[in-house]
Amino acid sequence: MYKILIADDEGIVTDSLQYIIEKNFGSECQVAIAKNGRQAIEVAESFQPDMALLDIQMPGINGLKAMEEIRAQNPRVKTLILTAYDNFDYAKEALRLGAVDYLMKPINKKVIVERLTGMMHTIDQERQKRRDDLLVKEKMEAVIPIIENGFVISLIIQNEYEDSGEQYRSLLNLEEDYGIIMALEWGNAREGAAMGNPVGSGVLAHKYYGKMSELVKVYFRAFVSGIMGNKMICVIPAVEPNLEYAARLQLIEKARSLVTSLKHAVGIDFKAGIGTVRPWEDMFDSYQEALNALRHGMRNVNHIDDLVVKDNREKQKQLMEQMVLKAVSMGMEHEARQEATVFAGWVFKNQASALEEEKLQLMEMLLLARRMVQDQGGAPVRDQELLSALLAAGDEETTRQKFVAAMVELAQAVVIKNQEPDGIITRAQDYIRQNFRKDISLEEVARAVGISPYYFSKLFKEEAGMNFTEYLTGIRIETAKRLLSERELSIKQVCVDSGYANPNYFSRIFKKWVGITPTEFRDGVGEDH
């Protein structure tokens, strides 16, 4: 549909133009008529035409002035100027004001149809472009949080920025050369410097992630990570390499306002830790500072420059060790991964020593954590393998990965220790009995009881006396034997009801376990009766 405004003080002209439009374009066009410039402006405000055919010489406001007013409030309107006067100055002014063309009266029918068709084509292209732009914008709205999260992760994981950071900056149109990390943490109640109930509040925050991200961007131009446990990491671009005192105070005040708004929006306590300005390749340092500001600051918003621990490396190391041990001892896998990553990064960044010496520091930490887990009555099945893997690592990145993986497995060992094995296996067996007709896997059952597949497999065999596949098959075969004995179902239906999709496979497994085929079993049962 195209809306066309015709403005001319001669009725015969407006009638002729309207007739030409209706005859050649039919229902594609909706026409509005004005008899002077003032009326043309008023009609255009409510009608919002796509095209306007304006006579220059009209009573009161002429066509050129009317076009100027109409285009001021609707710049996309396509305008044809009509005149009986061959005046170059008029034509020049009309084109300057944005007219598509300047046509002489009497109007040639063929010419007017050609001009209208051309304008319609241009309008169609512009509409399509707007649709395409909106579609791109809509897609970008969905993709941008993913890009932002990737960018933040590239900054807070050691050596990641070198591989992908510049590409992220290009995608985010980020021109500044520096940034600041602000870490947000939340919980139900403050326990000294730390937040209480991090797991429960972390789950709650997922529901409000969109609102939280919006509020951050109300107060700061920032790039926001996804939820990491009970934390969210914000990257604030900076133009200068240093933050003046007044600017730091302003940053802290804005963060305080943000924390208050977040508390009101989500209903739990928030706390912010802020690092110093760093170039992008050194943002890991700002991240560490932000985490230390969170850990040691007693206020709702803490800047690392306000804390004494900033330059005390030994104390900083001890506190990070405590955070790693706390996460492992509580069986918090996500937090153990995060704290171990920070600690390993700190060792590589701040201990100016050879790889073997750095590796020894991580080994000491691993042994300390291992001894703590053993004292609690638990130990990972692969503890010796974890130690060997760390010693065998040939570079910093592999060493970091092995150290972090070891700490996560230690945390998993605590989880297993804190759950009675009999209870886990009983729940697993119940789950298998309820779901054996489906195509269930060891991974699915392990997830249902809340432990890793590796540990579940070991634990199941130890407690049940057989592996997962044997137990599942045993239940299915016993079910098949019972159904075959009842003789009410076909062999094919028994196959399906026992958890097998393929009759041939079912027959092979049945014979392997029972010694005869399902048909022979049924016939044998019949003979017994």
Side-chain angles (χ1 to χ4, degrees):
M1 171 68 72
Y2 308 95
K3 293 182 177 182
I4 303 176
L5 169 63
I6 302 173
D8 197 302
D9 59 333
E10 296 183 59
I12 190 171
V13 174
T14 57
D15 291 345
S16 298
L17 289 171
Q18 186 170 7
Y19 174 77
I20 292 171
I21 291 168
E22 290 175 351
K23 183 172 179 60
N24 288 274
F25 303 103
S27 60
E28 286 186 76
C29 297
Q30 181 181 351
V31 177
I33 304 294
K35 296 185 177 180
N36 54 56
R38 178 185 57 78
Q39 194 178 87
I41 295 168
E42 291 173 348
V43 171
E45 287 179 358
S46 58
F47 184 60
Q48 290 294 304
D50 300 302
M51 294 171 273
L53 311 182
L54 306 176
D55 181 32
I56 286 184
Q57 298 298 332
M58 291 187 290
I61 301 174
N62 68 30
L64 294 179
K65 289 294 184 183
M67 180 178 73
E68 190 172 15
E69 289 289 333
I70 291 170
R71 285 182 55 80
Q73 54 96 12
N74 181 8
R76 289 200 293 265
V77 66
K78 310 300 177 199
T79 309
L80 281 177
I81 292 295
L82 313 175
T83 182
Y85 302 95
D86 188 7
N87 186 311
F88 176 74
D89 290 335
Y90 277 159
K92 183 178 177 182
E93 180 65 7
L95 296 175
R96 186 189 71 79
L97 292 173
V100 173
D101 208 343
Y102 181 91
L103 302 180
M104 296 294 298
K105 294 180 180 178
I107 303 300
N108 182 290
K109 174 185 171 183
K110 181 180 178 182
V111 172
I112 199 69
V113 170
E114 287 176 353
R115 295 298 186 275
L116 289 172
T117 301
M119 288 194 293
M120 289 176 185
H121 179 66
T122 302
I123 290 167
D124 288 341
Q125 290 179 319
E126 291 177 354
R127 286 175 176 174
Q128 185 60 49
K129 185 178 185 304
R130 286 197 295 275
R131 284 193 291 268
D132 292 344
D133 289 345
L134 285 173
L135 184 60
V136 170
K137 185 176 180 180
E138 184 179 54
K139 289 180 178 179
M140 285 301 294
E141 287 297 320
V143 170
I144 282 175
I146 299 172
I147 297 174
E148 284 191 23
N149 184 64
F151 176 56
V152 175
I153 296 301
S154 78
L155 297 175
I156 66 175
I157 294 181
Q158 195 83 10
N159 301 323
E160 283 293 314
Y161 180 80
E162 296 176 4
D163 297 330
S164 54
E166 291 302 322
Q167 185 178 1
Y168 280 123
R169 286 181 62 191
S170 175
L171 290 170
L172 295 169
N173 296 317
L174 179 54
E175 297 180 356
E176 290 87 347
D177 294 321
Y178 308 94
I180 303 167
I181 293 288
M182 177 174 68
L184 292 170
E185 184 180 39
W186 49 86
N188 290 343
R190 291 276 292 277
E191 298 177 358
M195 287 289 189
N197 189 22
V199 177
S201 58
V203 172
L204 175 64
H206 277 278
K207 178 181 177 182
Y208 293 96
Y209 172 74
K211 181 65 174 177
M212 290 160 58
S213 179
E214 285 178 17
L215 281 172
V216 170
K217 294 180 181 182
V218 167
Y219 290 92
F220 298 97
R221 177 183 169 232
F223 303 102
V224 182
S225 77
I227 290 176
M228 302 164 64
N230 70 326
K231 294 182 181 67
M232 188 162 70
I233 309 303
C234 309
V235 177
I236 304 170
V239 176
E240 301 295 332
N242 297 297
L243 201 62
E244 297 296 332
Y245 180 73
R248 178 156 66 91
L249 291 184
Q250 184 181 31
L251 176 66
I252 292 170
E253 286 304 313
K254 288 170 69 176
R256 284 177 180 161
S257 298
L258 169 62
V259 164
T260 301
S261 296
L262 287 169
K263 181 177 180 178
H264 289 156
V266 183
I268 52 179
D269 289 331
F270 279 79
K271 184 179 178 183
I274 305 172
T276 57
V277 179
R278 301 278 183 168
W280 297 120
E281 58 271 18
D282 294 332
M283 288 300 287
F284 183 77
D285 295 335
S286 187
Y287 173 56
Q288 288 180 305
E289 291 169 348
L291 291 183
N292 280 323
L294 274 180
R295 290 166 183 160
H296 313 308
M298 302 301 294
R299 296 183 294 274
N300 286 339
V301 176
N302 300 275
H303 193 286
I304 191 65
D305 284 343
D306 296 330
L307 303 180
V308 176
V309 298
K310 180 189 175 188
D311 297 318
N312 190 335
R313 288 192 175 185
E314 189 57 36
K315 184 175 181 181
Q316 195 176 48
K317 180 184 177 184
Q318 291 173 0
L319 290 168
M320 281 192 288
E321 287 175 347
Q322 292 173 14
M323 296 300 293
V324 175
L325 293 175
K326 180 181 177 182
V328 171
S329 68
M330 294 179 68
M332 301 165 66
E333 295 180 30
H334 176 84
E335 286 72 12
R337 183 184 304 279
Q338 180 175 302
E339 299 298 343
T341 300
V342 171
F343 179 77
W346 187 91
V347 169
F348 292 136
K349 191 73 176 179
N350 292 280
Q351 306 296 95
S353 53
L355 175 61
E356 291 306 313
E357 294 179 25
E358 295 168 339
K359 196 183 296 184
L360 284 174
Q361 291 189 55
L362 296 181
M363 182 64 70
E364 290 174 3
M365 184 66 199
L366 176 55
L367 291 170
L368 184 64
R370 178 173 174 263
R371 185 161 54 250
M372 178 192 68
V373 173
Q374 287 174 333
D375 290 343
Q376 292 179 224
V381 177
R382 301 192 307 131
D383 55 353
Q384 291 299 327
E385 293 180 36
L386 300 176
L387 294 168
S388 300
L390 181 58
L391 284 172
D395 54 59
E396 285 190 358
E397 179 59 22
T398 305
T399 302
R400 181 186 66 79
Q401 291 175 359
K402 298 301 182 184
F403 174 74
V404 172
M407 288 302 175
V408 170
E409 290 212 23
L410 285 169
Q412 291 172 338
V414 172
V415 173
I416 292 173
K417 175 61 185 70
N418 291 338
Q419 299 180 20
E420 289 298 323
D422 289 344
I424 294 174
I425 299 308
T426 299
R427 284 191 287 121
Q429 290 171 332
D430 287 343
Y431 185 88
I432 294 169
R433 283 193 292 271
Q434 293 169 15
N435 296 278
F436 71 89
R437 291 182 178 84
K438 300 191 301 183
D439 184 21
I440 59 173
S441 64
L442 182 145
E443 288 75 14
E444 178 184 339
V445 180
R447 185 165 57 249
V449 296
I451 60 176
S452 72
Y454 180 84
Y455 286 109
F456 173 72
S457 176
K458 295 285 185 182
L459 194 60
F460 191 94
K461 189 167 185 178
E462 290 173 4
E463 297 297 323
M466 64 183 75
N467 64 33
F468 165 79
T469 302
E470 291 170 337
Y471 185 81
L472 174 61
T473 303
I475 289 177
R476 287 173 169 172
I477 295 301
E478 288 304 313
T479 301
K481 289 165 67 176
R482 177 175 56 79
L483 295 175
L484 288 167
S485 299
E486 294 173 0
R487 309 181 67 84
E488 296 174 356
L489 303 174
S490 67
I491 299 292
K492 184 176 181 181
Q493 190 60 49
V494 170
C495 164
V496 173
D497 288 351
S498 302
Y500 293 100
N502 187 313
N504 292 330
Y505 179 71
F506 165 63
S507 183
R508 288 199 304 272
I509 291 294
F510 190 92
K511 185 173 183 179
K512 181 178 178 181
W513 275 68
V514 182
I516 56 177
T517 66
T519 302
E520 290 170 339
F521 180 86
R522 170 167 281 176
D523 292 343
V525 170
E527 290 172 5
D528 291 342
H529 287 278

